[in-house]
Amino acid sequence: MSRLRILPALKALIAIKPKQKLTAQYLLSLFIAIVLAFLVGAGIMLLCGYDPIECYAALFRGALGKPRAFGNTLAKTATLCLTGLAMSVAAKAGIFNVGGEGQLYFGGLAAAVVGARLAGAPAWVIVVCALLAAVFAGGLYAWVPGILKVKLKVNEVVTTILLNSAAIYFCSYLTNGPLKTAERGISSGTDSIAVSFSPIIRLSNLNGSIWIAFAAALIIWYLMTRSTAGFEMKITGANERFAKYGGIRADRLMIAGMVISGMLCGLVGMIEVFGIHKRFITNLSAGYYFDGMLVAMIMRYQPFGVIVMSFFFAILTIGGSAMELSAGISGEVILIVQAVIIFFMAAEGGIRQSLRVWSAKRRVKRTHAKEAGV
Amino acid sequence: MTENAPIVRFEHVSVRFPSALANDDVSLAIRRGEAFALVGENGAGKTTLMNVLYGLVRPALGTVIIKGEKISQRHDPMRAIAMGVGMVHQHFKLVPSFTVAQNIALGSEPVKNLVFYDQKRLNREVLALSKRFGLPVNPGDVVDDLSVGLQQRVEILKALHRGADILVLDEPTAVLSPAETDELFEVLRSIVREQSMTVILITHKLHEVMQFSDRVGVMKQGRLVGIVNTSETDEKQLAAMMVGRELLFRDLRAGEPSDREVLTISGLRAMDDRGLEAVKGIDLKLHAGEIVGVCGVEGNGQTELTECIMGIRPQTGGTVTLNGRNISRLKPREIRGMGVSFIPSDRMRTGLSAEATVMENMLVGKQRQTEFRRFGVQFRKRRATSYAKALSEQFDVRSGGVDLPMKSLSGGNMQKAIIAREFSFDTPVLIINQPTRGVDIGAIEFIHEKILQKRAAGCAILLVSADLDELFRLSDRLVTLYEGRLTGSFVNGEITRQEISYYMTGGRQEVRA
Ligand SMILES: Nc1ncnc2c1ncn2[C@@H]1O[C@H](COP(=O)(O)OP(=O)(O)OP(=O)(O)O)[C@@H](O)[C@H]1O
Ligand SMILES: [Mg+2]
């Protein structure tokens, strides 16, 4: 299934720097946006001559109906959630990592190389070493734009976007050149790794890596919402000048946020390699990080919200392709629904405004009625 | 409509924020062509009431009638402007990189040949406007380069350019020097008398009320508790109405400074944000138990001087020594660790984080203390919250709850929150810049007492203020700052205000501070 390509929109969203609080009002308008998006989707289905109820039923069945489908949805949730948290942890500290794709690629490549070279070692040694290598590679590649931002005031959005392409092309060169496997039938990829995660549900993408993802998400959630460092990051992200004045090491925290973000992306790369492809391939990610970024921005970088929204987006993605098969409607419709949700999120301010006008009107009416009654 | 019909009528206006009832059934009629003053404690709801008029806040109940016309459900600033309302906010809303003329005409630029923006005509128009109202400006100047007083003049002209005949000014004099203040009132008075404009003025300075207004409205906890004719009242009565008690303003005796030198500044130099030298070699000594007051018209290097001491702004020359240690190259965190606290004048940008909660704002700097940590990593939020509550109580910071964002506080309460945080560090050195700007008179008294308590406890205090009364009340020693240099140093009590004013505007005395 093709994927949302909305980098320009993302950049615009970053530029307006979404507010950091999830308020009840925001959640309400989010809910309204989702309902509206589904209605628009239904309208499109009707226009194309499909029964929307049947289509949506197929969608949810396709995402949650069978164990295998559910496994795929969970695996997708893990990817979205890790990338979404990666975006959030940096953004909370006031630095925007748009370079997650590059960090993911380097993480995946490092894991694949370690996984292949360590053949013969005990499985757990391989997994742990690959994990460390992936996290290190991703973190290091994020450290570069972080240090450039803090020391030289180079805009991190620009550098991370550029570093994405650099990483993807460099990995592509390596897998087609020095690291190209000798195995037959593989056009561009590294040697296959010695051990890999076994599926938890047969024939699904859900495998042992889910536990690692779960642990990582938990740690990030704790870091962001419960720790002293998280508190300091939040202050830094909200007003860097104030943070410095207040004696917080803002520079350090921003770099830390970026590096942790990169480490998470590296981890996603490792999970892709060890869980699915069993080697590094040139198209390791189809824009996974950008999907995660979207989720993060919609949920205003709140870790718990990101986790929940990841599940919802995973249902849309996995269910969308199932719907394509069973109801015969093009999966593009689901892309439209996603786009409409994002669109309504961008218009969230407007929705909230009309909510307020509406409730004000009602209040006025009510008091008039009361006065008339008295 | 007769001449004396009210031009603006608030009818039972109530505004409810999630945290507070900011306006509680306010009914008020403003007459055409009068100068109306609105006073009240911090958080009384003055700004909110005017925001209703200007369309920034929608009332939950009640309505406003402007010139006989009810405001609509969709009342907003555009509509308010169209109805003749102009508002000068406490924090200016100008585009810094635009010229004076461009700012004034923003959104209504004259057009030539249907397409081109007519710069020449615009400048002419602005010049004519400024002449008509006696507010001289140079249309070609870039706003960023103007003093605060001039920027305010631009704000006023902007409102007048859009045809405002109801002018609202929210604490306009908080940022002005005494001379600028006099000038402003002269202009406002002529506007009211000669152009029959209506002016609504929010202020905390009661002598301005007496000097300028025809009538005064007093607000308290969201309610309008009284309207009086200015000629029939006095400052004392107004203060009592506002605060609900008599203010003492006791005479404050000077402390007993010791000879122990705590902070030594020598040859300090620094640049401002534009890269021009703003501090040009300052020498100053601060002793334990002493308050040194820095007098000067704003923009003569006060902000840069204080920021340099705190390590927020890089020094370009000289040294700052704290208890014998050179702290010139240290970071704010390290300087704080060595016992310096700082109340910056630039509240919204440096002193607080508008988006963060009140608790977070009050706790910054203490988050690493063991009291607020568990296992060395975890933030003890509940403890922090109850700490912030206690501190709020101690300093009378009125918020709707410490977990609300800082920006939901009224201007004066924000300031009190900053003071509460900085004073709670119990450091031996305090750098204080404009402690009582935008703070009501009751709170001023309170803050002054706190500062004197600090002095009594042996703190060395550097106090910068645009308010000479404040400096004369509190300081042991006074120094004058003009264009980045100290022009004089005096023992408080041995000099008059006239003399100080002379040194503040460039006169020189050859004495080292
Ligand atoms: N955006 C907001 N959200 C929530 N509460 C608000 C908001 N703005 C103001 N308030 C609350 O409304 C009350 C009135 O505030 P307002 O700003 O009108 O006071 P004020 O009289 O102008 O005070 P000051 O003299 O300190 O400026 C305060 O209790 C304040 O906390
Ligand atoms: Mg106010």
Side-chain angles (χ1 to χ4, degrees), chain A residues 294-311:
Chain A
L294 257 175
V295 171
M297 278 190 281
I298 290 178
M299 295 320 282
R300 298 194 169 174
Y301 315 127
Q302 298 296 321
F304 187 70
V306 166
I307 295 171
V308 174
M309 194 46 120
S310 297
F311 187 59

Side-chain angles (χ1 to χ4, degrees), chain A residues 222 226 228 232 241 245, chain B residues 336 342 367-368 378-379:
Chain A
Y222 180 86
R226 291 288 180 271
T228 306
E232 294 183 339
R241 194 180 156 85
Y245 148 79
Chain B
R336 276 182 182 276
F342 177 35
Q367 72 276 6
R368 284 180 180 273
Q378 185 159 317
F379 180 56

Side-chain angles (χ1 to χ4, degrees), chain A residues 7 10 14 83 86-87 90 95-107 137-139 141-143 145 156-168 258 261-263 265-266 289-290 293:
Chain A
L7 200 51
L10 283 182
I14 290 176
T83 48
M87 174 71 186
I95 186 165
F96 290 90
N97 180 12
V98 193
E101 285 289 290
Q103 293 140 22
L104 188 157
Y105 270 76
F106 271 136
Y141 202 56
W143 177 78
E156 78 280 13
V157 176
V158 175
T159 47
T160 48
I161 288 178
L162 291 176
L163 286 174
N164 267 343
S165 322
I168 294 171
M258 196 65 159
S261 178
M263 286 161 71
C265 293
Y289 184 71
F290 294 117
M293 258 177 90

Side-chain angles (χ1 to χ4, degrees), chain B residues 17 19 22 41-48 171 204 408-412:
Chain B
F17 288 116
S19 55
E41 285 182 276
N42 294 129
K46 307 177 293 292
T47 302
T48 307
E171 299 187 29
H204 287 296
S408 73
L409 267 60
S410 78

Side-chain angles (χ1 to χ4, degrees), chain A residues 127-184:
Chain A
V127 170
V128 168
C129 288
L131 183 77
L132 291 177
V135 164
F136 179 78
L140 186 69
Y141 202 56
W143 177 78
V144 174
I147 203 92
L148 284 176
K149 154 105 174 173
V150 165
K151 293 274 182 264
L152 300 176
K153 309 271 170 253
V154 186
N155 185 321
E156 78 280 13
V157 176
V158 175
T159 47
T160 48
I161 288 178
L162 291 176
L163 286 174
N164 267 343
S165 322
I168 294 171
Y169 289 125
F170 186 64
C171 288
S172 172
Y173 156 74
L174 287 180
T175 38
N176 286 305
L179 294 178
K180 188 168 162 57
T181 181
E183 290 167 54
R184 302 235 320 264

Side-chain angles (χ1 to χ4, degrees), chain A residues 179-204:
Chain A
L179 294 178
K180 188 168 162 57
T181 181
E183 290 167 54
R184 302 235 320 264
I186 304 291
S187 61
S188 62
T190 58
D191 293 334
S192 66
I193 50 180
V195 295
S196 60
F197 293 123
S198 51
I200 293 176
I201 296 173
R202 227 162 56 82
L203 295 178
S204 81

